[in-house]
Amino acid sequence: MTFDATEALRVALAPNAIGVIGASENPHKIGGRPIAYLSRFGFKGRIVPVNPARTEVQGLPCFRSLADAPEVPDMVIVAVPGELAVEAVGECARLGVKVCIIMSSGFGEVHEAGKVQERAMRDMALRAGMRLFGPNSQGLANFGNGTVASFSTMFTEVAPQDGPLGIISQSGAMSVIPYGLLRQRGLGVRHSHATGNDCDVTVCELAAVVAEDPHLRLLMLYLEGIPDPWNLARAARTARERNLPIVVLKAGRTPAGQVAASSHTGSLASEDKVVDAFLEEHGIFRAQSMADMIATAPLYLQGWRPRGRRLVALSNSGAVCVLAADAATQENMPLDELQPNTQTELRGILPGFATVRNPVDITAALLTNSSLFSKVLPALARDPAADAFMVGIAVAGAGYDVDVFARDSAVFAQQTGKPLVVAAPQESVALKFREHGLVTYATEGEAIGALGRYLTHAQRMEHATRRQPRIPGPPAPPRDGEMLDEARSLALLARHGLPVVAHRLCRDAADVRAAWLQLGARRVVVKGCTPDASHKTELGLVHVGVADAEGAQAASEAIAKAAFLGGVRLNGFIVAEMVQSGLELMIGARIDPVFGPVLLVGAGGKYVEAMPDMALLMAPCSAADVAAALERLRIAPLLHGTRGEPPLDVAAFCAAAVAVGDAVSNPSLNLSQVDVNPVFVRRLGEGCTAVDAVVFQTTPHGTDPIPTPQEILTEEPAC
Amino acid sequence: MTFDATEALRVALAPNAIGVIGASENPHKIGGRPIAYLSRFGFKGRIVPVNPARTEVQGLPCFRSLADAPEVPDMVIVAVPGELAVEAVGECARLGVKVCIIMSSGFGEVHEAGKVQERAMRDMALRAGMRLFGPNSQGLANFGNGTVASFSTMFTEVAPQDGPLGIISQSGAMSVIPYGLLRQRGLGVRHSHATGNDCDVTVCELAAVVAEDPHLRLLMLYLEGIPDPWNLARAARTARERNLPIVVLKAGRTPAGQVAASSHTGSLASEDKVVDAFLEEHGIFRAQSMADMIATAPLYLQGWRPRGRRLVALSNSGAVCVLAADAATQENMPLDELQPNTQTELRGILPGFATVRNPVDITAALLTNSSLFSKVLPALARDPAADAFMVGIAVAGAGYDVDVFARDSAVFAQQTGKPLVVAAPQESVALKFREHGLVTYATEGEAIGALGRYLTHAQRMEHATRRQPRIPGPPAPPRDGEMLDEARSLALLARHGLPVVAHRLCRDAADVRAAWLQLGARRVVVKGCTPDASHKTELGLVHVGVADAEGAQAASEAIAKAAFLGGVRLNGFIVAEMVQSGLELMIGARIDPVFGPVLLVGAGGKYVEAMPDMALLMAPCSAADVAAALERLRIAPLLHGTRGEPPLDVAAFCAAAVAVGDAVSNPSLNLSQVDVNPVFVRRLGEGCTAVDAVVFQTTPHGTDPIPTPQEILTEEPAC
């Protein structure tokens, strides 16, 4: 591209002039509402209406065509249908417009021909150095400077107010629903952009520019697909550099949701866990629902710098204390006991029957002594057990000095700089706290839930900032690959650092006898080596516990027969040492069509599909990443030794997983999928051994040599 | 008891006259507010203020003592402190009062002496035929007849309105917080009772009487402990008989919550899963939070008779459709495809680019054609795929005929009789739907979440009604029991129906040799039989895979040595057949101190504690109950056969589990705990075999004879 593709997006957020092709006198029409909004919400630039049928629109001079206008606006809204829209975009390109918002619908969202038109418009625009939003875009709205180039009715229904929040979505509805819900809570929203069909500029590319806005404190994205993860990664990097959190509501979490997303925006579905791993890697928090996203938003505006998750809860109701303890535990927020001197201090303040542990139950004595509250807070502020606070005012009214509680809480929050949330079911009470700048929820569960999400996000951002995740490139085109047989798979992975079981590849029964002798007088496994099946046990291709040369020969004969009956080719027989000690884990890797290489680690063995226990990471990754992922597994306790067993060699397994992740991430290897299962992990210091593996490779005889059947692996892994 | 103990509770909900001992002129004092409320909220009976210092209180004649009053009220509020309260209760008892509400605090919630006073008051009252609420009770409030014998300030803050909802709680806060939140949503609340320390009448006992109110449509309980499950079971039975749902918010779900609950109400903690199992058995729904309970409440008032969980979602926003599909999947609500003829019909109504699958995306075309909505609904109503509906109006305002949408939806809901929830983020839109009697939520996630909970509850109630669960008695006093060694444990359980492994109990090495021969030429396990340890492997007391008589003898010698070194007694050696086939499951049972006998089934083996996969049931139970519980396990797919394996003999395992549940429920056996692990479950028709067991029994030499070490089990289980 010969122009600064990003600069045009900055223009879109603050153009000097906006043309409207298809300008309408009627402010309820698509071509009329943006003009009305631009005037109403204080757009400082020029508005250039274009409509061959009119000389004036909404009090502004109107032009026959854009070419007739006295200036070429840097941004143009296209609000004419079908072919007229395509022509309008062409004219914009010719005249040197920098960015077009195509509001017209009836393109890619309707039929395949529309997609073709979209691509043609995009290619033409890019050649001319122009960027496109839409088609089918509800428009952009920047309330910071009045650039409300949108036809959403929501800005009429709910009055805007500039503020530190931003929302970007393809869907018009999801650009304004959060706007409406946030405004209902009295929060100011600056950006509310709906990008439509994203034929050129995508939500994520726009996000990377919106994230530059120094006024923003929280950026929210609604996504159904993430076709350009590199743009989202760039947005996240820009945001992290200025400590701007990004929350994503990514729909299509479930198969049913993915089907619906595919008919709505044509989104390509990645496995949902890949999306999770990608977002986490880049410090982006994924909201589980719109309600969660909205409930958490105000916490980001408080300017806190959270240090940890330990909660101190405080209420005038013992029951609220109990529910708060439940909620905190569920949110993984420990309720550490207060220091002895804090407890002593509290005992001096509170009545004898109050609870001075944590949660702190001030009891109904607060009714007769409103000063209890302001006395308790400073004592808590000094306690090192507190990273964050929940204040629950269960019931208050006549007799309670709620204004004092609210003021004292606000002062306390400001002085400590620590997160503080308020639970107050009575709206009159909540209002007082909000007037003092605090964030309130109706119940302790909602308050602690929101706080927990906020704290998790803070931890993730910090982690991502430390790690500096790389910006991925566009993924390689999807590739299926050819399945390598077990011997080739093991050989390839062994060459790239995976410790594999000592084994011999044999041509015939005589070879098998010889291999048995060569491997020593141990028990062995005899397997058929086939490129046609990955589940070999069901086909009768695996004989375990073979204890002598005769047995080995007999096994190979049985396997040959089974292969014939099962209709699979045999590339020979594998005679492998029988690994009998260690915990069975698995390592998997593949190329996600959208996000690129991913690594899977988890419990191994026969029931990996029936009872999955896996964690997914973006690849390549570090041993520390793998170790952290292992801690999320159900089998984690077994890795550290349980029931008197010694801890396992987790480091060796992590190194093996990293090797597989590196291999699948290495473009010269052309791997599309790797399944290593089981990997036996032995006790600390004794390493691990992969016993079976399947590799899919697009060019099996390409850059990496594959051993011929005669070749024998001579390395003897530590056993 | 010589009086009808329950009748007094009916009196408490509708007394003819209410005395107030400690009556106050000041309506903000505990002794004044109930008088003000009774007058204000229309109590029809007589109010009898008692205060030796006054002749008139709040315009009513006041008496020196209750004895001086012209009548003995059937209910009396005690609002005087400490010893005066105890005396007042005594006087009430002497005069024949039927029920007392002790509002005074400073008893059991403050110190141990207070508990002693409480018990003394209760015993005295019961002897006199009087029932007590409290002490420390905020009071009872029945807005159906104005019996607002409460001092909660909430009824001043939020104006009451009689309605079909009831709330009972020990905690004052939790009796009025839901009241306030429900009233904020415009719902009418009849009952809001706070029972306090529950020295006599408990929340659950009161619930059993409140459940008789024919006006109620939903009864909500806040509980920190359930000391009297039989009362809750009675309440549930009464409620089921008239199709009244009970929702319980049981706090203390987590260890931290249980600690807090124990300092708040002194609740005895049961394992939380026991509470779940008990509530489910009786058709009671357990809300996970106050917010969830409140959000679901209005759905109970719609008079629906739900038939299933299949959802049809409908919106004018594709994004809402996607999020709805995600939410429905998460709530286990299938989005079945619409019938072909429904799809055809919809295609005739909607524009070509609309989605006529499920969810149905009407698209923004609704803006230009408001009638689309009313045309789509009848088509959906005829489709058998719909058990329930979610209507999402993403954005509407100028241009949309929201009133028509709302009216059409209401008519549709009424005609189909099927549950319908509305998601409308704009309050102005939501209001229209509420005006037509529908239930609205801000987002599709909240709407579908509430609907899912409601439908789950309906299913549970139906199930409980079919099963007619028994009303438990008070549990036996806690008993620790003595651990029986393995041989005795197996023998006892075998006698009561558990299939156990073929084994011999041996005195010495010679016996072990003989046993090896007797069991046949198979591989055996040799174990030390000790009453001092249940985890035998760690102590070196288990030798597996012993293949000959010499090996067996050597194993017994090694075991003897290990037992000596480990400091445990040996009651002999067990030589058992080595069961090598089958899936390892476990069966556990014990006596919960509150709820009585419970049964556990789950994955067995070595890592039961490290990686629990268990389901808990109330015992005794049926094989069908066990089978249903097994379906909730992670290992469930293995039971039905996976990776080409045959299905397992689930019926045999269920029968074994029922036998253990029956044994622990049999009071004459005096069992306190049973752990059977592993139980090998073989393929269908081949049964199952318990290989190890530990039984704890309080009177091991009591009614059930235990075999002496010489006795040998001769039954040979099918292997």
Side-chain angles (χ1 to χ4, degrees):
Chain A
M1 276 177 268
T2 56
F3 62 105
D4 184 340
T6 301
E7 193 49 39
L9 307 195
R10 295 194 186 101
V11 166
L13 298 176
N16 292 321
I18 302 176
V20 181
I21 298 181
S24 170
E25 181 66 18
N26 184 344
H28 299 305
K29 296 229 158 160
I30 290 183
R33 198 173 285 128
I35 297 174
Y37 280 163
L38 289 165
S39 309
R40 193 197 310 173
F41 298 133
F43 175 61
K44 297 285 193 306
R46 281 89 53 201
I47 306 172
V48 182
V50 175
N51 186 335
R54 305 187 64 92
T55 55
E56 199 188 282
V57 161
Q58 298 187 37
L60 298 166
C62 180
F63 306 93
R64 278 189 58 78
S65 72
L66 199 61
D68 291 345
E71 71 172 317
V72 175
D74 41 11
M75 180 158 91
V76 168
I77 293 168
V78 175
V80 287
E83 266 310 314
L84 291 176
V86 179
E87 283 168 26
V89 170
E91 188 174 15
C92 290
R94 277 191 302 280
L95 293 172
V97 168
K98 290 182 180 143
V99 59
C100 257
I101 303 176
I102 312 172
M103 292 185 173
S104 330
S105 56
F107 289 87
E109 81 281 13
V110 175
H111 43 51
E112 211 44 50
K115 289 206 181 99
V116 175
Q117 283 178 302
E118 285 181 5
R119 280 191 291 269
M121 283 194 284
R122 179 200 57 195
D123 293 345
M124 183 263 293
L126 290 184
R127 277 193 303 272
M130 181 174 79
R131 301 299 307 271
L132 296 183
F133 285 92
N136 196 27
S137 159
Q138 201 177 57
L140 309 183
N142 176 355
F143 292 100
N145 58 16
T147 307
V148 185
S150 163
F151 67 89
S152 172
T153 55
M154 186 63 103
F155 307 135
T156 308
E157 300 292 319
V158 179
Q161 183 196 299
D162 186 21
L165 300 170
I167 307 148
I168 315 178
S169 155
Q170 280 190 265
S171 147
M174 289 304 147
S175 72
V176 295
I177 286 177
Y179 162 91
L181 294 171
L182 293 164
R183 293 290 306 113
Q184 271 176 38
R185 278 163 182 71
L187 301 175
V189 178
R190 169 166 292 186
H191 297 274
S192 170
H193 307 304
T195 58
N197 292 359
D198 288 14
C199 84
D200 174 21
V201 182
T202 65
V203 167
C204 295
E205 192 184 358
L206 180 59
V209 173
V210 171
E212 296 169 355
D213 184 340
H215 185 72
L216 268 201
R217 304 289 283 276
L218 172 64
L219 178 55
M220 288 162 278
L221 310 178
Y222 172 80
L223 300 169
E224 292 184 5
I226 307 176
D228 50 345
W230 56 94
N231 276 325
L232 187 53
R234 282 176 48 225
R237 184 177 59 190
T238 302
R240 284 196 310 274
E241 281 164 7
R242 29 176 310 263
N243 204 28
L244 169 68
I246 300 180
V247 174
V248 158
L249 179 59
K250 164 71 177 66
R253 277 183 295 137
T254 63
Q258 284 173 356
V259 169
S262 134
S263 35
H264 182 224
T265 46
S267 297
L268 198 59
S270 285
E271 196 194 341
D272 204 53
K273 279 189 170 188
V274 181
V275 177
D276 281 337
F278 178 82
L279 296 177
E280 180 163 353
E281 162 144 310
H282 293 276
I284 298 169
F285 187 78
R286 181 172 187 183
Q288 292 302 302
S289 68
M290 179 61 78
D292 276 1
M293 184 164 86
I294 299 302
T296 320
L299 300 182
Y300 291 93
L301 312 183
Q302 299 285 312
W304 298 320
R305 286 281 187 161
R307 301 254 175 99
R309 297 183 75 86
R310 294 168 310 156
L311 181 75
V312 171
L314 168 75
S315 176
N316 61 336
S317 152
V320 168
C321 288
V322 179
L323 289 172
D326 278 342
T329 304
Q330 190 170 323
E331 293 294 332
N332 195 22
M333 298 178 68
L335 290 154
D336 280 9
E337 215 162 298
L338 300 171
Q339 300 282 306
N341 56 341
T342 312
Q343 295 202 26
T344 308
E345 205 175 337
L346 291 178
R347 254 185 229 107
I349 301 165
L350 294 171
F353 52 94
T355 305
V356 297
R357 298 157 67 105
N358 178 18
V360 180
D361 179 5
I362 315 185
T363 77
L366 185 62
L367 178 56
T368 43
N369 183 358
S370 275
S371 76
L372 285 181
F373 198 78
S374 57
K375 286 179 184 158
V376 163
L377 290 176
L380 295 180
R382 285 186 288 273
D383 196 291
D387 293 321
F389 300 92
M390 197 288 296
V391 171
I393 304 293
V395 184
Y400 290 92
D401 198 343
V402 176
D403 200 59
V404 167
F405 303 162
R407 195 197 56 210
D408 290 348
S409 302
V411 168
F412 169 76
Q414 203 139 38
Q415 282 174 351
T416 62
K418 292 175 181 174
L420 183 149
V421 290
V422 178
Q426 278 168 273
E427 184 46 29
S428 57
V429 173
L431 191 62
K432 290 277 180 208
F433 280 87
R434 286 203 298 276
E435 281 171 3
H436 285 278
L438 294 168
V439 183
T440 68
Y441 298 88
T443 66
E444 56 295 318
E446 291 160 290
I448 291 170
L451 182 59
R453 293 190 293 274
Y454 166 79
L455 293 175
T456 299
H457 193 178
Q459 287 172 317
R460 288 213 182 148
M461 277 185 76
E462 209 183 290
H463 191 233
T465 302
R466 253 200 326 271
R467 288 176 39 113
Q468 294 286 349
R470 73 194 172 86
I471 309 288
R479 40 190 189 189
D480 278 343
E482 185 190 318
M483 190 178 101
L484 307 191
D485 66 29
E486 181 177 346
R488 286 159 180 259
S489 297
L490 286 173
L492 187 149
L493 293 171
R495 192 163 311 115
H496 291 92
L498 183 75
V500 306
V501 66
H503 66 282
R504 240 199 97 165
L505 179 61
C506 309
R507 200 188 324 213
D508 52 27
D511 254 10
V512 168
R513 282 186 77 102
W516 185 85
L517 292 165
Q518 201 176 342
L519 282 169
R522 311 185 203 176
R523 287 152 67 83
V524 300
V525 182
V526 183
K527 295 188 269 190
C529 186
T530 173
D532 296 333
S534 55
H535 281 182
K536 293 181 286 280
T537 308
E538 286 89 331
L539 289 168
L541 301 185
V542 180
H543 284 235
V544 300
V546 177
D548 52 36
E550 287 64 41
Q553 179 168 348
S556 65
E557 285 157 5
I559 286 166
K561 200 167 170 183
F564 177 76
L565 291 173
V568 298
R569 290 170 293 167
L570 275 193
N571 288 347
F573 305 94
I574 290 175
V575 180
E577 214 174 293
M578 190 158 157
V579 179
Q580 281 174 299
S581 72
L583 182 69
E584 290 184 69
L585 266 62
M586 63 80 71
I587 303 172
R590 55 191 161 74
I591 311 289
D592 182 272
V594 176
F595 295 95
V598 297
L599 180 69
L600 280 155
V601 291
K606 202 171 171 183
Y607 300 121
V608 166
E609 285 101 359
M611 299 194 294
D613 177 26
M614 289 183 221
L616 190 147
L617 305 93
M618 305 311 294
C621 60
S622 70
D625 294 334
V626 176
L630 291 175
E631 290 307 313
R632 299 202 294 264
L633 297 179
R634 189 169 177 272
I635 52 159
L638 272 47
L639 300 173
H640 308 303
T642 186
R643 298 249 358 225
E645 294 164 348
L648 302 184
D649 203 335
V650 172
F653 178 81
C654 290
V658 166
V660 172
D662 287 349
V664 84
S665 307
N666 181 344
S668 71
L669 292 185
N670 286 314
L671 305 187
S672 58
Q673 190 180 328
V674 175
D675 290 299
V676 189
N677 179 20
V679 179
F680 282 91
V681 184
R682 286 179 298 277
R683 60 175 67 191
L684 197 59
E686 295 185 357
C688 66
T689 304
V691 160
D692 195 356
V694 182
V695 167
F696 289 76
Q697 194 177 33
T698 38
T699 54
H701 304 290
T703 51
D704 203 68
I706 295 292
T708 59
Q710 280 69 20
E711 214 175 309
I712 288 163
L713 270 182
T714 49
E715 304 96 324
E716 185 87 350
C719 254
Chain B
M1 277 178 269
T2 56
F3 63 106
D4 185 340
T6 301
E7 193 50 39
L9 307 194
R10 296 194 185 101
V11 167
L13 298 176
N16 292 322
I18 301 176
V20 181
I21 298 181
S24 169
E25 181 66 18
N26 184 344
H28 299 306
K29 295 230 159 160
I30 291 184
R33 196 173 287 127
I35 297 174
Y37 279 163
L38 288 166
S39 310
R40 195 199 308 175
F41 299 132
F43 175 61
K44 297 284 193 307
R46 280 87 55 202
I47 305 171
V48 183
V50 174
N51 184 335
R54 306 189 63 93
T55 55
E56 200 189 280
V57 161
Q58 298 186 37
L60 297 166
C62 180
F63 305 94
R64 278 192 56 79
S65 74
L66 198 61
D68 291 345
E71 71 170 320
V72 176
D74 40 13
M75 181 158 89
V76 169
I77 293 168
V78 175
V80 289
E83 266 310 316
L84 291 176
V86 178
E87 283 168 28
V89 170
E91 189 175 13
C92 290
R94 276 190 303 280
L95 292 173
V97 169
K98 288 180 182 146
V99 59
C100 257
I101 304 176
I102 311 172
M103 293 185 171
S104 330
S105 57
F107 289 88
E109 81 281 13
V110 175
H111 43 53
E112 211 43 50
K115 290 205 180 99
V116 175
Q117 281 178 304
E118 285 181 5
R119 280 192 290 270
M121 281 194 286
R122 178 198 60 196
D123 293 345
M124 185 262 293
L126 290 183
R127 277 194 302 272
M130 180 173 80
R131 300 300 305 271
L132 297 183
F133 284 93
N136 196 26
S137 159
Q138 201 177 57
L140 309 183
N142 177 355
F143 292 99
N145 57 17
T147 306
V148 186
S150 163
F151 68 89
S152 172
T153 56
M154 187 64 103
F155 306 135
T156 307
E157 300 291 320
V158 180
Q161 183 196 302
D162 187 21
L165 300 170
I167 306 148
I168 315 178
S169 156
Q170 282 190 263
S171 147
M174 290 303 148
S175 72
V176 294
I177 286 177
Y179 162 91
L181 294 171
L182 293 164
R183 292 290 306 112
Q184 270 175 39
R185 277 161 182 72
L187 301 175
V189 178
R190 169 167 293 186
H191 297 274
S192 170
H193 307 304
T195 58
N197 292 0
D198 287 14
C199 83
D200 174 20
V201 182
T202 64
V203 167
C204 295
E205 192 184 359
L206 180 58
V209 173
V210 172
E212 296 169 355
D213 184 342
H215 185 71
L216 268 200
R217 305 288 283 277
L218 172 63
L219 178 55
M220 288 163 276
L221 310 179
Y222 172 80
L223 300 169
E224 292 185 5
I226 307 176
D228 51 344
W230 57 94
N231 276 325
L232 187 53
R234 281 176 47 226
R237 185 178 59 191
T238 301
R240 283 195 312 273
E241 280 163 7
R242 29 175 311 262
N243 204 28
L244 168 69
I246 299 181
V247 174
V248 158
L249 179 58
K250 163 70 175 67
R253 279 184 294 140
T254 64
Q258 284 173 355
V259 168
S262 135
S263 33
H264 183 224
T265 46
S267 298
L268 198 58
S270 285
E271 196 196 340
D272 204 54
K273 280 190 167 186
V274 180
V275 177
D276 281 337
F278 178 81
L279 295 177
E280 180 162 355
E281 161 143 311
H282 293 276
I284 298 170
F285 187 78
R286 182 173 185 181
Q288 293 302 302
S289 68
M290 178 62 78
D292 276 2
M293 184 164 87
I294 300 301
T296 321
L299 300 182
Y300 291 94
L301 312 183
Q302 299 285 313
W304 298 321
R305 286 281 188 160
R307 299 255 176 98
R309 298 183 75 85
R310 293 167 311 154
L311 182 75
V312 171
L314 169 75
S315 178
N316 61 336
S317 154
V320 168
C321 288
V322 179
L323 289 173
D326 277 341
T329 305
Q330 190 170 324
E331 292 294 332
N332 195 22
M333 298 176 70
L335 290 155
D336 280 10
E337 216 164 297
L338 299 171
Q339 300 282 307
N341 56 341
T342 311
Q343 296 201 27
T344 309
E345 204 174 338
L346 291 178
R347 253 186 230 106
I349 300 164
L350 294 172
F353 53 94
T355 305
V356 298
R357 299 158 67 104
N358 179 18
V360 180
D361 179 6
I362 314 184
T363 77
L366 184 62
L367 177 55
T368 44
N369 182 357
S370 276
S371 76
L372 285 181
F373 198 79
S374 56
K375 287 179 185 157
V376 164
L377 290 176
L380 296 179
R382 284 187 289 273
D383 196 291
D387 293 322
F389 300 92
M390 196 289 296
V391 171
I393 304 292
V395 184
Y400 289 92
D401 198 343
V402 176
D403 200 57
V404 168
F405 303 162
R407 194 198 56 211
D408 290 349
S409 302
V411 169
F412 169 77
Q414 204 138 37
Q415 282 174 351
T416 62
K418 292 174 182 174
L420 183 150
V421 289
V422 178
Q426 278 168 271
E427 184 46 29
S428 57
V429 174
L431 190 63
K432 289 277 181 211
F433 280 87
R434 286 203 299 274
E435 280 170 3
H436 285 279
L438 294 168
V439 183
T440 68
Y441 299 87
T443 65
E444 56 294 317
E446 290 160 291
I448 291 170
L451 182 59
R453 293 190 293 273
Y454 166 79
L455 293 175
T456 299
H457 193 177
Q459 287 172 318
R460 288 214 183 148
M461 275 183 76
E462 209 182 290
H463 191 233
T465 302
R466 254 200 325 272
R467 289 175 39 112
Q468 294 286 348
R470 75 195 169 84
I471 308 288
R479 42 191 188 187
D480 278 343
E482 185 189 319
M483 191 178 102
L484 307 191
D485 66 30
E486 182 177 347
R488 285 160 181 258
S489 297
L490 286 172
L492 186 149
L493 294 171
R495 192 163 311 115
H496 291 91
L498 183 76
V500 306
V501 65
H503 66 282
R504 238 197 99 163
L505 179 61
C506 309
R507 200 188 324 212
D508 52 29
D511 253 11
V512 168
R513 284 185 77 101
W516 187 85
L517 293 167
Q518 199 175 344
L519 282 169
R522 312 187 202 177
R523 286 152 66 85
V524 300
V525 182
V526 183
K527 295 188 269 191
C529 186
T530 173
D532 296 333
S534 55
H535 283 182
K536 294 183 284 282
T537 308
E538 286 90 331
L539 288 169
L541 301 184
V542 180
H543 285 234
V544 300
V546 178
D548 52 36
E550 287 65 39
Q553 179 169 346
S556 66
E557 284 157 5
I559 287 166
K561 201 166 171 183
F564 177 74
L565 291 173
V568 297
R569 290 170 293 167
L570 276 192
N571 288 347
F573 305 95
I574 291 175
V575 180
E577 213 175 293
M578 191 160 156
V579 179
Q580 280 173 301
S581 72
L583 181 68
E584 290 184 68
L585 265 64
M586 64 79 72
I587 303 171
R590 56 191 160 73
I591 310 290
D592 182 90
V594 176
F595 295 94
V598 298
L599 179 68
L600 280 155
V601 291
K606 202 171 171 184
Y607 301 121
V608 167
E609 285 100 359
M611 299 194 294
D613 178 26
M614 288 183 222
L616 190 146
L617 304 94
M618 303 311 295
C621 61
S622 71
D625 294 334
V626 176
L630 290 175
E631 289 308 314
R632 299 202 296 263
L633 296 179
R634 188 169 178 272
I635 52 160
L638 273 46
L639 300 173
H640 308 303
T642 186
R643 297 249 359 224
E645 295 165 345
L648 302 185
D649 201 335
V650 172
F653 178 80
C654 290
V658 166
V660 172
D662 287 348
V664 82
S665 307
N666 181 344
S668 72
L669 292 185
N670 286 313
L671 305 186
S672 58
Q673 191 180 328
V674 174
D675 291 299
V676 189
N677 180 20
V679 179
F680 282 92
V681 185
R682 285 178 301 275
R683 60 175 65 192
L684 198 59
E686 295 185 357
C688 66
T689 304
V691 160
D692 195 355
V694 182
V695 167
F696 289 76
Q697 194 176 35
T698 39
T699 53
H701 303 291
T703 52
D704 203 67
I706 296 293
T708 59
Q710 279 70 20
E711 214 175 307
I712 289 164
L713 273 183
T714 49
E715 303 95 325
E716 186 88 349
C719 251

